[in-house]
Amino acid sequence: MSEYIEGQVYDNKNLPSGDFVKTEYENCSFSNLKLDQVDLSYCKFTDCAFEETDLSRANLNNTAFKGVHFTNCKLLGLSFDDCHDFLFEVAFENCMLDLSSFYQKSMKKTSFVSCSLREVDFTESDLEQAVFEGSNLSAAVFDHTKLLGADFRTASGFILDPEINQVKGAKFSLEGLAGLLAKYDIKIG
């Protein structure tokens, strides 16, 4: 990486055309951009914000996200499991993350607020104390996932097996109990 960019604001008027510059971005904001299928491999984003940006199917090979917030973004089919693991820290608000993967990702205390997480793969992820506030988890995969202290109280659509996932201290609403008992084919209510 030859460059270091700090404090820059990017929108649909000032992002150079062509390839995304592979460098380190710190305290930068990216808004109202259409970057679907963009190659972000080996880029580093520290304390950056993405707002109303489409990053669907972007290449995240060894991409570093440290303290990155995504708001009102379209993030369909992303392989976050390809991201660099060191200090990986993200937060999502009102984002579409359908068909994305966080396989084996450590994401303690990650916040998913009002997000669509349909068919997202959380297999073997560490989501200890994660918050799924108002998020739709229809057909999301939880398989040997660490969910200690995670908050599902206002989440919907999830089905997870407490026998193969670590759920000690996790929070669920009464309505969410059906998602914990689905494998038993029990009728509730």
Side-chain angles (χ1 to χ4, degrees), residues 31-50:
S31 62
N32 298 304
L33 296 170
K34 186 160 177 50
L35 299 173
D36 57 315
Q37 299 185 46
V38 70
D39 185 2
L40 297 178
S41 58
Y42 296 96
C43 290
K44 294 181 182 178
F45 299 93
T46 304
D47 298 324
C48 291
F50 288 84

Side-chain angles (χ1 to χ4, degrees), residues 1-8 10 14-17 19-26 28 30 42-46:
M1 268 187 227
S2 60
E3 281 187 68
Y4 170 81
I5 299 172
E6 183 176 9
Q8 187 68 269
Y10 296 97
N14 70 354
L15 187 70
S17 60
D19 291 334
F20 202 88
V21 178
K22 294 192 185 322
T23 189
E24 184 170 350
Y25 298 88
E26 187 169 344
C28 292
F30 303 83
Y42 296 96
C43 290
K44 294 181 182 178
F45 299 93
T46 304

